[in-house]
Amino acid sequence: MDAQSYSAALADLRTVRDQIKRIRAALTKQEADRDKLIIQLASYPKAKAERIAPAAGLGVADVVALAPALAPDSLAVNDVLQPAAEPSAIQATPEVVPSPLPQAAAVPAMTAAAARPAPPKVPVEPAAPPAPTAPQAPRDLPSIPAGASGDAWLALTSGLASTRPNFTQQARSTVFLDTTAGILVHRNQTHHLDLAGRSAADLLTAVFHTVPDGVERIYITAGDPWHQGADRHPYLRDAVAAWLNAPTPGWRTDTGRGRDRMAGHFVHARNPVGRYQRDNSEQHVEIRSVGEWFDVDGDDPHIVRDAFVLLWQALRRHWPDAVLMGSPSQTGRDLWTRTIPTRGQHAEGFPVLSEELRGLLHATAGQGRNELITPPHVPEQLPQLVEYDRTFAYAKHTWKSPVGTPRRITAAAFAAWSEKEQMRALYGCGHWQVRVTVPDGWNHVGLLPAPDPGDRAWHYPAEPNATFTTWAGGPEIHTALTNPLQPWKIEILDGILWEDGKPLDDWAKKLKETWTNLSAQAHYQGDAQQARAAHLASRAVRSILLYGIGSFAQRPRMVTGTTPRSMERDVPPDAEIISFDNELITWQKPTGFSRDPNAHPEWAAAIWSGARAALLTQRHRDDNTYAGALHTPPGSVVAFRTDALYLTQPHTWPYHHQPGDYLLRGHLTGPLAAPTTEEELLTLRNAGRAALTTGQEA
């Protein structure tokens, strides 16, 4: 692309931007009109939410939220997790909270480096009656019920545990396809295909005409064929669903086979999965995006295939029976099960928590911190924008995880402990319901997550004297109490405590060694293509660990289905319409938690909590120094984005190519208008990365 083409493309981009703004404004108006119609329909005495929901393209819960009178009788209070009790209600329950003790549960200062003074002893108090406050809009978080019903939540699921598999995974014949150039790589052979309209049917026809037998997985390396026709749909998901559900003569949607229970298409805006089975045959094939594993930057399918070969070879050094499965999350969990000990304490496996406790963790343990801090909390004009990214961050936090049967720690029980016992508990593997007060005079970023009104959305209050109730993991509680600036007030309302264990340590160490070896190959390899393949393979290892950890969280399952438009009444009443056309309605519905023997949300929650805490403060023992947001001047943190920090000035934090180290990824000099939206932040981020790369090359 030359300068003239670049300028023309920028003009086109601005035109598209303006069109998007107009479409969004129109869509907002249409959604408001839809909501008015729903409320109007609710006035009809025989109106039912399950009839209105499919017509509106919404779930029943969304309709009920607009018109509470339409709530179905089946939505009984006892069928859902109870909302968090108000502090006053907790105080009124003698079994949960004792009489207020004036700072009776003080936690002694944690060990601090000589480089900074030790923080003062911090009061951690049992729940006390709060001052009256105005009603707040954020969603309620669930609590553990009092009494025997709550104690039952702590029981493990009977007959369900993670155990070492007694079988070997079977490898699947895989091809790599660039749908833009029509290049197919199968083993060491290259083929040029005519993909016609690039529909799923076109891809299946072309691939199996060229490679008649045995192909079970097709990785798309470029072209994103599921996005064609996206301009005809309001959202990318709609375009993807339409592509996946388009007619495929000779094939039908897969229904699963053998040990592989994965069935049906997976609708995702960027990385969908199409699962097909040939009619009257046992032939199965998946169409997947290689973007699940790593970002491809114009790499041809030969390099992508070489990356998968290098990845498989590197994993085999630690797992002789390693097999690359369809996604990094599947691969990660399969490899982990092959590290479960055959002897010793956990030879019988790792039991699964009760469904109630898994639901509690699902609702109260968020993942990465994503927060954009806007003026006046940062300058209107930024002097610089500097991006630091924690390398292979989650691998830093797998050395300790909760194991065994959890214990409930009530406010009364916590208050009765000695300071040493309290400190040990908060430093251990726990998940705590707390009332938090931001200290007077606080002038930095927030430390603990509080629920936002949106589903699974969180914000981080930082206004002095703000008070909120939330759940948080031990690492974040520990950071709030011992941070280098000013201790926060934490009142324990309830908690869950496990024994400390190392169920993920062996798995993570092997993945870290694999990542280190592949990263070294990428750095020292003389052949540019092989160096690039090794780099992509190292990124795939990161995905295996990252998404493997995420898969332990085991979100409630969603089932996707289709119903002919003429049979709209047959759409399940609790389903959400995700797309529709003249012939088909595509919907999805939650089915709750499956009996998954590898469901361990307590592990994911502990790692996510540790990673969020390390974004605030992280000690580098060998360098006797600290890094993180709290070691920057107030007003200099522009954004958090999962493992990344965006600052207004650079810092000389240690970087030794180790997991968790802060790597300088981008540096853009100003003055720059402070971003006020995620899109603006990402635009500046990309410019900063390009500027840093150009400067390093120069």
Side-chain angles (χ1 to χ4, degrees):
M1 175 178 285
D2 56 21
Q4 184 177 0
S5 301
Y6 179 74
S7 299
L10 278 178
D12 292 340
L13 186 60
R14 295 187 188 100
T15 301
V16 171
R17 175 199 63 195
D18 294 339
Q19 290 173 343
I20 290 173
K21 287 182 178 178
R22 286 194 295 271
I23 292 170
R24 281 180 175 162
L27 179 62
T28 300
K29 182 181 182 303
Q30 289 178 336
E31 288 177 338
D33 292 342
R34 176 199 63 195
D35 294 347
K36 289 178 182 177
L37 284 171
I38 291 173
I39 295 170
Q40 181 181 344
L41 287 167
S43 64
Y44 176 56
K46 296 183 179 180
K48 293 185 178 181
E50 56 266 33
R51 288 293 308 279
I52 296 175
L58 295 174
V60 171
D62 298 316
V63 172
V64 170
L66 289 167
L70 294 176
D73 295 338
S74 60
L75 294 180
V77 174
N78 293 332
D79 291 340
V80 296
L81 292 175
Q82 298 299 311
E86 290 298 317
S88 57
I90 295 176
Q91 177 63 26
T93 308
E95 184 182 35
V96 179
V97 179
S99 299
L101 301 176
Q103 299 189 3
V107 174
M110 306 289 179
T111 304
R116 59 178 172 86
K121 292 186 177 183
V122 182
V124 179
E125 304 169 0
T133 58
Q136 296 183 351
R139 72 187 188 282
D140 288 329
L141 296 179
S143 299
I144 304 176
S149 60
D151 294 339
W153 287 26
L154 281 297
L156 300 171
T157 300
S158 177
L160 195 63
S162 306
T163 57
R164 194 181 185 105
N166 57 4
F167 64 93
T168 301
Q169 289 287 358
Q170 297 300 308
R172 296 197 178 178
S173 176
T174 302
V175 298
F176 301 86
L177 176 62
D178 179 337
T179 61
T180 301
I183 297 175
L184 177 77
V185 174
H186 177 228
R187 297 176 182 164
N188 59 352
Q189 297 179 336
T190 302
H191 306 273
H192 294 271
L193 308 185
D194 179 3
L195 299 177
R198 298 196 304 152
S199 67
D202 294 332
L203 267 59
L204 293 170
T205 299
V207 168
F208 284 96
H209 176 75
T210 306
V211 187
D213 301 316
V215 173
E216 297 176 273
R217 186 174 295 137
I218 302 170
Y219 275 123
I220 306 301
T221 66
D224 295 342
W226 36 77
H227 288 165
Q228 61 180 337
D231 56 339
R232 299 194 300 270
H233 301 274
Y235 301 105
L236 274 181
R237 274 179 62 95
D238 295 344
V240 171
W243 189 88
L244 291 171
N245 291 302
T248 50
W251 299 83
R252 64 179 185 275
T253 303
D254 200 348
T255 56
R257 52 176 165 162
R259 296 180 182 274
D260 187 355
R261 297 187 300 274
M262 303 301 287
H265 304 314
F266 174 61
V267 180
H268 186 278
R270 302 289 177 184
N271 299 313
V273 182
R275 301 185 177 98
Y276 302 92
Q277 181 177 353
R278 193 182 289 276
D279 288 341
N280 304 314
S281 170
E282 287 302 312
Q283 186 174 9
H284 304 254
V285 64
E286 292 180 331
I287 300 177
R288 310 188 72 112
S289 169
V290 80
E292 294 181 85
W293 294 85
F294 40 68
D295 291 330
V296 178
D297 186 15
D299 299 297
D300 67 46
H302 301 87
I303 292 178
V304 174
R305 178 187 177 273
D306 289 346
F308 275 85
V309 171
L310 287 175
L311 173 64
W312 175 74
Q313 291 172 340
L315 291 173
R316 283 263 169 157
R317 296 188 182 99
H318 298 287
W319 287 277
D321 55 353
V323 169
L324 297 183
M325 303 181 72
S327 70
S329 61
Q330 291 172 312
T331 304
R333 286 217 302 186
D334 180 68
L335 293 177
W336 172 74
T337 62
R338 297 172 195 281
T339 65
I340 296 175
T342 56
R343 292 180 296 177
Q345 181 181 2
H346 300 293
E348 298 299 318
F350 295 94
V352 173
L353 301 178
S354 70
E355 184 170 332
E356 292 82 2
L357 204 52
R358 281 180 277 155
L360 177 78
L361 288 165
H362 169 68
T364 62
Q367 191 174 355
R369 177 172 181 170
N370 289 284
E371 179 184 20
L372 177 62
I373 301 172
T374 57
H377 302 291
V378 296
E380 293 275 0
Q381 294 291 314
L382 307 180
Q384 305 172 76
L385 185 67
V386 187
E387 179 191 7
Y388 287 97
D389 187 42
R390 295 186 66 231
T391 300
F392 204 18
Y394 287 0
K396 177 82 172 178
H397 306 287
T398 54
W399 63 278
K400 181 177 72 173
S401 301
V403 295
T405 303
R407 291 185 293 152
R408 184 178 187 179
I409 310 299
T410 64
F414 187 87
W417 283 349
S418 67
E419 292 181 357
K420 184 177 181 180
E421 289 172 321
Q422 290 178 351
M423 181 186 72
R424 185 185 302 117
L426 292 175
Y427 191 71
C429 293
H431 193 58
W432 302 92
Q433 187 181 34
V434 292
R435 186 188 299 113
V436 183
T437 302
V438 182
D440 187 39
W442 183 260
N443 67 345
H444 219 294
V445 298
L447 303 187
L448 291 169
D452 252 355
D455 179 41
R456 293 190 60 78
W458 303 88
H459 70 290
Y460 292 79
E463 296 298 323
N465 301 310
T467 298
F468 58 95
T469 299
T470 191
W471 285 84
E476 291 167 287
I477 300 292
H478 176 257
T479 297
L481 292 170
T482 66
N483 74 81
L485 302 179
Q486 189 178 1
W488 284 30
K489 181 181 178 182
I490 307 293
E491 299 172 83
I492 301 297
L493 304 178
D494 210 345
I496 310 161
L497 192 62
W498 289 266
E499 297 175 17
D500 295 353
K502 294 182 176 293
L504 303 176
D505 194 43
D506 183 37
W507 174 71
K509 282 180 178 177
K510 290 178 177 179
L511 289 176
K512 283 185 278 189
E513 288 180 21
T514 304
W515 173 78
T516 300
N517 290 337
L518 288 169
S519 298
Q521 286 186 52
H523 184 72
Y524 294 110
Q525 172 62 251
D527 182 275
Q529 289 192 341
Q530 285 300 301
R532 177 63 180 170
H535 171 73
L536 294 178
S538 72
R539 299 296 293 171
V541 176
R542 173 188 176 276
S543 296
I544 288 173
L545 185 132
L546 176 69
Y547 296 118
I549 289 168
S551 71
F552 287 123
Q554 197 223 17
R555 305 275 190 264
R557 292 176 65 105
M558 298 293 292
V559 171
T560 302
T562 58
T563 300
R565 189 69 180 268
S566 60
M567 301 173 66
E568 182 179 314
R569 289 173 177 268
D570 292 339
V571 174
D574 56 345
E576 175 188 0
I577 308 299
I578 58 177
S579 70
F580 57 87
D581 55 28
N582 292 331
E583 296 181 357
L584 288 177
I585 299 173
T586 302
W587 49 264
Q588 65 180 16
K589 58 174 288 187
T591 60
F593 294 96
S594 65
R595 281 185 60 83
D596 184 350
N598 296 321
H600 292 286
E602 69 277 20
W603 297 348
I607 292 168
W608 294 340
S609 178
R612 290 193 298 269
L615 278 177
L616 298 170
T617 179
Q618 174 177 283
R619 184 183 179 191
H620 291 262
R621 296 179 183 275
D622 294 342
D623 301 276
N624 193 28
T625 190
Y626 288 79
L630 294 181
H631 304 280
T632 68
S636 66
V637 179
V638 177
F640 297 87
R641 190 168 171 81
T642 309
D643 301 325
L645 275 177
Y646 296 84
L647 310 173
T648 61
Q649 62 186 60
H651 292 269
T652 56
W653 292 334
Y655 185 73
H656 302 301
H657 300 274
Q658 294 299 311
D661 286 357
Y662 280 90
L663 171 67
L664 178 63
R665 290 288 306 277
H667 191 170
L668 195 61
T669 56
L672 308 162
T676 57
T677 65
E678 183 183 27
E679 290 78 10
E680 291 176 357
L681 174 66
L682 295 179
T683 298
L684 293 176
R685 179 200 69 179
N686 295 340
R689 290 182 178 181
L692 180 64
T693 301
T694 301
Q696 291 172 340
E697 290 174 349

